[in-house]
Each structure stands twice: as structure tokens, then as C-alpha cells.
Amino acid sequence: MTGVLVTGGTGKTGGALVRLLRGNGVPLRVASRHPSADDPDAVRFDWEDPTTHPAALRGMDRIFLVPPVNSVDPILSVGPFLAEARRLGVRRVVLLGSAIVLPNAPSAVEMAARVRARPGGVVLRASGFMQNFLSPHPVGERILRHGEVHTAAGEGAVGWIDARDVAAAASALLADPGVEPDSQRDYLLTGPKALSYRDAAAIITARTGRKVRVVTVGTEEQAFAYRAAGMPSEFAAAVAAVEDGIRRGLHDQVSTAVLDLTGRPPRSFDAFVREHRIGLGGNGGFEH
Ligand SMILES: NC(=O)c1ccc[n+]([C@@H]2O[C@H](COP(=O)([O-])OP(=O)(O)OC[C@H]3O[C@@H](n4cnc5c(N)ncnc54)[C@H](OP(=O)(O)O)[C@@H]3O)[C@@H](O)[C@H]2O)c1
């Protein structure tokens, strides 16, 4: 048997990829720490428990790799997993990486380099997800509860992408075992337009009627807030420090990769907000 092992298969990106692959009749396994008893494709998989890895991998020739979330040192568990995948004959690995490199987390860079270096290895460098504006992400949680965005990113812009478009790009690279990725090993995935938090808040207000205020905070205060929201300390500090890079314009970039890979343009933030009016605190009826 051949097929795609979708790690993070119950998450925003992996879940969307599972739906796309199923729609195309692609055999797959949905990896989760808590596999659904109702899903015959579900398999138990835990980054923290390497004994779950071989059974999840066996018989699969392609992997969508969602590394351990909220970790500054993913290579610890991903390194041995990649070695096991190679031993079991996996031919393609598509890594959900990030366009935004966490400061003080060289392990993520090393992990991407290892995937890129292997035959059939592809790295998706995804920009910030639009879904961060929805609960339970701390940004979305604050919008919903307080009608506020706290940010240390100033007027810096990000090419926000809908996680479903990341999944669509991954599907283009994973659905067909016969299609070899071209010589390109690295795809910067973004939405159609870079927006600052202030731009995003203005769109939310315009489309939902919910007033969203942008409050400037320092990176230390931001790290404290992320810790309070449950992120491990080191990771919270790194994610907060990213905002400094955004403020300096490092992530003000857009690409055509989603269109190139899928044949469709990526969803706009405006369309995302229209679709999630209730989740963003609107009453569902308001729209300019
Ligand atoms: N948010 C952003 O702006 C952004 C931007 C670029 C890249 N990324 C990357 O996107 C990734 C997250 O993807 P996502 O947002 O689609 O995921 P998500 O919705 O946050 O879901 C997390 C997924 O990871 C799985 N998971 C959590 N802990 C696990 C463990 N110990 N072992 C195995 N699986 C585990 C969960 O599965 P179960 O709970 O079912 O086990 C779930 O499927 C991160 O690696 C992040 O770096 C995010």
C-alpha cells in the first residue's frame, strides 16, 4: 500500500489537507495523539512517544510533516522520525515550515535543511496564518473577548495566509505519487497582500461591525501574555520576539506560490473575515 501520512492531521492545516486528499481518493492516515474511533484512517501518533512512529509510517510513501507545535527544539523528535521514514522507504516529505524564523530556535532551521537535503524533500515556508485571528489562538481570543489586538509589531506587515491554502499547496505536492516535485525545494506561501495588525483590525471592523482596537505593547509584555495563554516560556519569548522582526519589515512579503502550485489564487483576508464574522465577534448580520 502507498499513501500519505498526515501528521497534525486533526489540526487546521492537516485537517484541511485530509479533506482535500480524500476528495481526490488518495489513501491516507490521519495521525493524532487521540485517534478517532470513528475514522478507519486514524492512527495514534505522538511526537513525544517514538514507539508510535513506525506503525504510523509503515506502508506510507509520502508524509505531510507538521512538526511538534509550541517547541523551539523540534529536531529532537523530528530527526529520528525522518531517519525511520527513510529506513521504511518514504519517498516524499513535505514539511510545514514557517516563513517567520523564530529567533533563538536554530533547531527549526536545521530541521528544514534536513528535509530540503533529502530526495523528495520539500519545505513549505508558510507565512502567518489568518486563523491566528480566531480563538483559541491568543490573538483571536483577545479579539473575541476584548475587541483588542495587542502587538509589538507596530505598522509592520505580514503576508497572512489562510491555512487552507497551505493545505491546498501541500495537496498539489502530495496527492499524486507519480508527480515528482520540480527542482524547487522551498516554497514561500503567502496570501495575496501583506497587512499590518492595524490594517487587519480595520477590515474586521468594517466587515463585522465589531470595533477592534490595536494596542502597542513591548515584546516582554507580549511574551508574558503568551505565557499566560499557556505557551511554554521559551516558545512564548521567541514568538513575541518575532514581532520585532515584523515591525522592522522582515515579513512584509507576498509570493505567487499558492497560485503556481494549485492554479487558484490564495484567499484574501477580506474573504476570510466575511466567512468568520461570528468567530471574530461580529453578530453575523453586518457588512459594508
Ligand atoms: N500559526 C501560524 O501563523 C503559523 C505560520 C507558519 C507555520 N506554522 C506552523 O504550523 C504548525 C501548526 O499547524 P496547524 O496550525 O495546522 O496545527 P494546529 O491546528 O495547531 O493543530 C496542532 C496539530 O498538531 C497535533 N499535535 C499536537 N501535539 C502533538 C504531539 N505531541 N504529537 C503529535 N501530534 C501533535 C495535533 O493533533 P492531536 O491533538 O490530534 O494529537 C493537531 O493535529 C506549527 O508547526 C507552526 O510552526 C504556523
Side-chain angles (χ1 to χ4, degrees):
M1 183 184 168
T2 60
V4 182
L5 172 65
V6 183
T7 62
T10 57
K12 293 182 286 294
T13 317
L17 176 62
V18 165
R19 289 189 288 280
L20 288 170
L21 292 175
R22 279 197 172 130
N24 285 317
V26 178
L28 55 84
R29 278 195 196 130
V30 182
S32 167
R33 287 166 299 174
H34 314 287
S36 161
D38 301 332
D39 183 352
D41 297 322
V43 61
R44 191 168 106 73
F45 179 88
D46 189 342
W47 284 115
E48 314 268 325
D49 179 2
T51 66
T52 62
H53 300 180
L57 281 164
R58 203 158 286 126
M60 298 288 102
D61 63 341
R62 287 155 281 158
I63 300 172
F64 181 59
L65 202 168
V66 178
V69 290
N70 294 355
S71 167
V72 289
D73 206 1
I75 197 96
L76 281 181
S77 36
V78 174
F81 172 80
L82 286 173
E84 182 71 6
R86 183 183 287 258
R87 200 179 65 76
L88 291 170
V90 168
R91 294 188 309 120
R92 190 167 313 156
V93 177
V94 175
L95 171 69
L96 173 52
S98 179
I100 300 178
V101 176
L102 291 184
N104 305 320
S107 166
V109 176
E110 160 74 11
M111 173 177 65
R114 277 205 212 173
V115 169
R116 214 178 273 122
R118 58 180 282 145
V122 177
V123 177
L124 304 179
R125 291 191 296 117
S127 189
F129 290 174
M130 293 179 186
Q131 279 80 358
N132 294 358
F133 289 83
L134 300 174
S135 175
H137 190 282
V139 172
E141 193 65 27
R142 188 173 281 278
I143 290 173
L144 196 59
R145 282 173 188 260
H146 306 292
E148 283 180 350
V149 172
H150 283 196
T151 180
E155 301 306 318
V158 173
W160 304 104
I161 184 166
D162 190 313
R164 292 169 299 179
D165 288 322
V166 178
S171 177
L173 292 159
L174 284 162
D176 185 345
V179 174
E180 289 300 326
D182 59 24
S183 55
Q184 195 169 350
R185 295 289 169 128
D186 212 300
Y187 292 90
L188 171 67
L189 300 180
T190 75
K193 193 173 175 194
L195 301 169
S196 68
Y197 278 105
R198 198 175 303 284
D199 298 330
I203 292 172
I204 295 169
T205 298
R207 292 295 176 209
T208 67
R210 180 91 196 279
K211 180 99 185 103
V212 177
R213 218 162 62 92
V214 176
V215 179
T216 299
V217 296
T219 46
E220 300 232 334
E221 190 182 334
Q222 193 69 315
F224 180 81
Y226 285 147
R227 274 198 303 277
M231 286 185 189
S233 180
E234 257 186 308
F235 187 74
V239 175
V242 158
E243 298 202 5
D244 197 45
I246 297 175
R247 190 177 51 75
R248 289 186 287 127
L250 298 184
H251 307 294
D252 186 349
Q253 51 187 355
V254 291
S255 77
T256 60
V258 170
L259 177 64
D260 298 342
L261 282 166
T262 69
R264 289 170 184 231
R267 295 165 173 89
S268 68
F269 190 74
D270 192 80
F272 175 83
V273 170
R274 285 169 192 246
E275 199 180 333
H276 294 282
R277 283 207 289 272
I278 307 281
L280 287 159
N283 61 17
F286 186 98
E287 193 182 341
H288 279 306

